[in-house]
Every structure is written in structure tokens, then in C-alpha cells.
Amino acid sequence: MGKTVRAWATGLVLSLAVAHAHAPAFAQDTPIRGGTLVFGVNAGDPPTYDCHASSIFTIIHLLSPHYSNLLRIDPANYPKVVGDLAESYVLSPDRTQFTFTLRDNVLFHDGTKLTSADVKASYDRIRNPPPGLVSLRRGQLATVAEIEAPDARTVVFKLNRPDQSLIYTLASPFNCVFSAKMLREDPDYPARKVMGTGPYRFVRHVNGASWEGARNPDYFKPGLPYLDGFRAQFVPGPAIVNGLQGGQVMADFRSLTPADRDRLVASSGDRLMAEETPWSNSLLLVFQTQKKPFDDPRVRRALSLAIDRYAGSAALSKGTILGPVGGLLRPGYDLAASPEELAAIPGFGRDIAANRAEARRLLAEAGVTNLKFRIVNRSIPNPFLSAAVFLIDQWRQIGVTAENAQMPDSAYNTSINEGSFDVAIDFQGDAVDEPDFQLARYQSSSLSDNRARYTDPVIDDLYRRQSLETDPAKRRALLREFETRFLTEAYNVPLLWWKRIVIREKRIMGWTLLPSHLIGQDLETVWLKP
């Protein structure tokens, strides 16, 4: 059949043990059962309950405890993939067929037994959604030619080419596994009904107020979860800081600002703690390459060269969630550019005087004088407004005038999607560090994500080649070629990456801070210390 690449029957138990050993502040503590975790969600009610149709963090923080996935990212060993519903898998010698063996003890919350038919139906729904339904990640399954369920415990994914990022797609918390029986009766039922196999059963959603879950006594992982349940309080805006300060909520698992961090830690005595990590989100500049003068790479490159990212990082990191300087992949990630490699790319060198001199030369060479334009931007102060204020000052120093045009998200999205902008501030974010995910949006053939509207066959070829390359050193070299060309052409350019600052009560145990706020939120190993 093929060679066994990973077998998780015992590996999962070891992973959970490691999770306890590596988590801060409780290495010698034994988990205690009971209690209700109350955490804040800095957002309003979710627009849908359907994981497949959403990309917002609210869905993950509310629904992850209720659903399981075929695979999952091990929080204690990020970005290692371990089994969730899958007990093990076999990869064929030509790397075009994954055969998964499912656990035999998994029950949906209504008591029905999960089988391979449920996994197949869920992923077929993502790949080919029924008419009228939305599937935001169908492109991540483009290499899957067919899914088979030859028996109740076996699922086979047949690919049209090798795809080394597929295991991360199968570990995405957005790819919830639904009931095949219920999907046959109503393909849209997940939009209104929560019914999974996860560690917590859905209790209630109170519009505008809260979301509750209770321990699943039939959860397929012995001894888990520890909590009696959880309650997510909808506390948008500054209210979440007040809730943490007053003890109405125990944690915010997305991110707060440095000012919020300092205020809360200083005023809480010994009750709250702060943790930080580079975040898998970045703020980007997008140039509309079909509009003059932004169709000229010299103009785009000049605008990137004018930005002192290093000074910006030092200043903006004090009051916003903006943090380190990086390229197209998260700083610190194994395949990301090193500081030395990054400094060789236009716009990322540290000699800002030389950079700005080159920027002025390029604008003069392109025949562009007295350049003025509007920055289409989201009406969110942190970090979007702060970034715009910084950029306007940076461009002023090479004689360019920019105006910040803040818009509500509906108008902003319309402008971006229609291409009715000169320059826009955008962002990227993914659940895991994987170049196939981070760079997919930059293929010129991917029109839905190609917001700058360029055509570059070299970029498309480099993307394809890095995706197929299995040798890490060779793949890294291809990624540097991709990044160097892309940022020299300056279609989209990163401003700064974000930093994730999580504030929580010290008695919350078994939770691990990760570079993404979209994983590690199933709460299965979380417990409360008295």
C-alpha cells in the first residue's frame, strides 16, 4: 500500500503529556477537574455557525471546543501535526494518496457514531459546496481529485499531484467535521445548528451577550476535558479591558495592546499575566498596478524604499500590536528570510538615507513629480490608523503627499474587491506557518486574492516550484527567489508583522500561547488552578 509516515495511536498521548510539561507555571501541578472558564471575545455575534463559510476569529474561539478535525496542530510542539479524529495515516510512495484510519470510539454530541462517511461528506462540502453555500477554503483542497470511504474507519484522499501542505489543511480548525446524515437532510444545517464531536457540547448562544458550552462526557480522549464548561462573553472594544480588570472575564485569547497590557498587569496585583509572541499576521501595502503611476514598478519600489520600517517597529510597537520587520513569511519561522537576507531586498535595508535617495531617483526616472494619492484603509485605530499616520509622514520625506481614507469594512471590502483604490492598507493572517498558504494569495493567476491586479508568470512558476519541492534547503532557496522578485517589483509590500499579546488569569492552566490565534482554542486540556 505504501509506507507509514506517521502513526499517532501512542503519539497523541505523548503529545498531550508534553503539552502539560511545557506549559508555563504548572509543570509540577496535577490537572484538576471542574470549574467554568469565562473568556472575552472582542467582537459581536458570529454571522454564521458554519466553520466552512467563515474566516473570522470569532468562529474559531466559539466553535473549536465543539468540533473535531481529522488532524490538529499540537500546541506544545507547534507546528507539528498530530491526529485528532485520525488514529494514523499512510502516504503512498508517490505521495499522491493519503489513507487515514479513524478512531473507533468517536461519537457526535447526539450520540451517533462518527464514520468515514462523515469525514468524506464534510470535505466534499468544502471542495464542492452545494449551490448557494459558501466554502472559503476550497482552493486549499484543489489538489484533491477524489475522496473515498471504503469502510467505516478508512478515508482515502487521492491527489492529482503531491501536496506537502495538505496535512495543514486537514488540521485547520475551520475545516470542521459535520454529520453526513444531517448534511443529506439539510446541507446548510451547520449555519444554524452546532453539533460536533469535540470536547464540549453546545449549550446556548445569547444574542449580544454570550456563548456557552458544557463538558462532553463521551469525548473520545480519555480523561478530557477538565473543565465543567466555558462561557464566552461578547465584550467588544475597551469593555474587554474593563472586564479583565474587574474579573468579569478571565482571559482574552486574541490580543490586546501594549498599553492595555501595562495597565492590566500593573493594576491586577498577582492575578493576571501577559504573554507575547510574534503573530502570524502582517500589515501590508497594496498598490493598484492597473492604475498610473502605480503600474510602474519604479514608483511602487520608491514608495517601499521611503519607509523606515526599523524605526517604525521601534515606535509603533510601544502603542500598537505592530511589531517586527519581516518579509512575506513570519519572522522567526524556519523558512522565513534571515535579517541579512531581508536587508538585501529593496525597502528593507537599514540605511534609510540611502534608501530615500534611491526612492527620489526612481521617481525622477519614472517622470513622477508631486505624487498625491489616497490610502484606502479600515476604520480601526489599532493598527490601521496608526500605520497610516506613520506612512504619511514617511512618504512626505520624499516629497509624496498621501491622504488617509478610512472606511467601514463593507465599503473598504468593496473598494478593494472592485479595484477602486490607488494604495490600500491590507493584512494577511493564517492558522499556521506554511508558504503554500502565505504565498497563495500572491499568485497572479489567483484573481480573487490578487488585489494588486498584476500578471507575473515568474511569480506563478516560483510558487509552483516551491510548493513541489520537498528538500527544505532547496525550497528555502526558491522562497528567497519568490520573495526577492515580489518585493523588488513591489506589488504588495509588508509594512510590519503583528505581535500577539494575551492577558489571562494565572490560574488558567493547560493553555499554550501560539503564533496564531486560530489554533489551540479547543480548550480540551485547559483547567483552573484553585
Side-chain angles (χ1 to χ4, degrees):
M1 178 72 179
K3 62 179 181 178
T4 300
V5 177
R6 289 188 178 88
W8 290 301
T10 58
L12 181 62
V13 175
L14 292 174
S15 295
L16 292 176
V18 170
H20 292 304
H22 284 208
F26 68 97
Q28 304 303 316
D29 291 326
T30 300
I32 297 171
R33 298 179 69 84
T36 298
L37 174 70
V38 181
F39 62 93
V41 175
N42 193 348
D45 294 289
T48 179
Y49 297 172
D50 187 349
C51 317
H52 300 174
S54 181
S55 61
I56 61 174
F57 87 93
T58 316
I59 286 287
I60 295 303
H61 287 219
L62 300 180
L63 291 179
S64 283
H66 303 304
Y67 286 100
S68 305
N69 304 96
L70 191 58
L71 310 176
R72 70 195 294 262
I73 306 266
D74 180 5
N77 296 283
Y78 174 88
K80 180 182 177 182
V81 175
V82 294
D84 200 14
L85 295 173
E87 184 176 81
S88 63
Y89 79 73
V90 173
L91 176 59
S92 65
D94 65 358
R95 298 168 49 242
T96 62
Q97 180 169 305
F98 287 84
T99 302
F100 294 90
T101 299
L102 303 179
R103 299 178 185 276
D104 193 35
N105 62 335
V106 181
L107 298 178
F108 280 102
H109 296 161
D110 66 356
T112 58
K113 189 170 185 176
L114 176 133
T115 73
S116 58
D118 301 300
V119 177
K120 172 177 166 54
S122 298
Y123 277 94
D124 280 341
R125 184 179 187 266
I126 298 170
R127 292 172 59 232
N128 298 296
L133 299 189
V134 174
S135 173
L136 296 184
R137 279 158 291 279
R138 63 187 304 184
Q140 293 180 3
L141 292 168
T143 59
V144 178
E146 186 179 2
I147 302 174
E148 297 179 348
D151 61 58
R153 292 187 60 196
T154 305
V155 183
V156 182
F157 285 72
K158 295 185 175 182
L159 313 184
N160 51 38
R161 69 164 176 82
D163 182 354
Q164 58 190 320
S165 66
L166 182 65
I167 59 168
Y168 292 117
T169 297
L170 302 180
S172 169
F174 285 109
N175 295 336
C176 304
V177 173
F178 301 135
S179 163
K181 176 179 179 294
M182 293 177 66
L183 288 176
R184 284 193 299 271
E185 296 169 353
D186 178 6
D188 195 31
Y189 92 83
R192 299 174 303 278
K193 183 178 178 63
V194 180
M195 209 284 289
T197 58
Y200 297 90
R201 294 178 175 176
F202 175 71
V203 175
R204 68 178 63 87
H205 170 201
V206 180
N207 285 327
S210 63
W211 181 287
E212 296 178 45
R215 178 194 290 127
N216 174 13
D218 299 318
Y219 191 46
F220 57 90
K221 297 177 186 178
L224 297 176
Y226 299 120
L227 297 169
D228 290 335
F230 72 92
R231 184 171 73 254
Q233 297 285 145
F234 302 132
V235 278
I240 198 162
V241 177
N242 296 332
L244 283 161
Q245 189 168 35
Q248 289 84 17
V249 296
M250 303 175 184
D252 169 71
F253 289 123
R254 186 174 182 266
S255 184
L256 295 175
T257 69
D260 294 333
R261 173 201 61 205
D262 295 344
R263 168 187 164 188
L264 287 168
V265 172
S267 65
S268 71
D270 199 39
R271 183 172 60 87
L272 297 176
M273 64 180 291
E275 295 179 280
E276 300 184 19
T277 184
W279 205 347
S280 56
N281 287 15
S282 68
L283 213 60
L284 306 167
L285 291 173
V286 182
F287 299 104
Q288 221 296 26
T289 63
Q290 293 181 353
K291 282 190 172 184
K292 290 186 177 300
F294 307 104
D295 60 338
D296 190 327
R298 293 171 296 184
V299 174
R300 303 191 301 264
R301 195 178 311 136
L303 293 175
S304 182
L305 280 161
I307 303 167
D308 189 344
R309 291 172 170 84
Y310 301 96
S313 174
L316 291 169
S317 64
K318 295 177 182 178
T320 75
I321 57 175
L322 294 174
V325 178
L328 298 177
L329 302 175
R330 181 179 63 84
Y333 171 46
D334 289 347
L335 294 177
S338 68
E340 295 75 21
E341 290 169 330
L342 192 64
I345 297 174
F348 293 86
R350 289 183 174 271
D351 188 340
I352 190 59
N355 291 349
R356 287 177 178 157
E358 174 65 3
R360 295 185 192 97
R361 187 194 70 79
L362 287 169
L363 289 176
E365 184 181 279
V368 175
T369 58
N370 300 318
L371 178 59
K372 297 180 181 181
F373 58 84
R374 296 169 74 241
I375 310 169
V376 168
N377 198 6
R378 301 174 74 192
S379 57
I380 299 174
N382 181 13
F384 292 88
L385 174 58
S386 300
V389 171
F390 170 72
L391 288 167
I392 288 169
D393 175 70
Q394 298 292 290
W395 287 328
R396 178 183 56 80
Q397 298 182 54
I398 61 166
V400 171
T401 302
E403 173 192 353
N404 182 42
Q406 285 188 276
M407 302 179 178
D409 276 357
S410 57
Y412 169 87
N413 288 329
T414 298
S415 180
I416 291 287
N417 293 335
E418 292 180 349
S420 56
F421 67 94
D422 298 320
V423 179
I425 296 180
D426 197 6
F427 71 101
Q428 74 169 40
D430 295 283
V432 67
D433 291 301
E434 164 50 50
D436 277 5
F437 297 164
Q438 276 83 61
L439 304 185
R441 57 178 58 87
Y442 302 131
Q443 297 177 86
S444 58
S445 58
S446 179
L447 298 179
S448 62
D449 294 327
N450 179 8
R451 293 179 161 182
R453 289 169 165 74
Y454 53 86
T455 298
D456 190 334
V458 175
I459 285 294
D460 296 340
D461 181 61
L462 285 169
Y463 178 84
R464 180 189 62 82
R465 289 167 59 195
Q466 70 79 29
S467 181
L468 291 170
E469 183 55 65
T470 58
D471 182 290
K474 292 179 180 178
R475 191 184 191 199
R476 196 179 191 284
L478 286 168
L479 289 168
R480 296 292 76 74
E481 285 188 55
F482 183 106
E483 193 167 46
T484 299
R485 177 171 179 90
F486 191 87
L487 296 180
T488 301
E489 291 295 318
Y491 300 120
N492 299 3
V493 294
L495 175 58
L496 294 170
W497 284 75
W498 298 9
K499 58 183 176 181
R500 188 180 180 199
I501 304 173
V502 170
I503 310 295
R504 60 185 174 94
E505 291 191 0
K506 291 182 178 180
R507 64 189 180 118
I508 297 175
M509 304 293 178
W511 183 84
T512 303
L513 180 69
L514 298 171
S516 171
H517 62 302
L518 301 175
I519 54 178
Q521 288 303 133
D522 54 36
L523 308 179
E524 68 171 19
T525 60
V526 171
W527 58 282
L528 299 177
K529 190 174 183 178

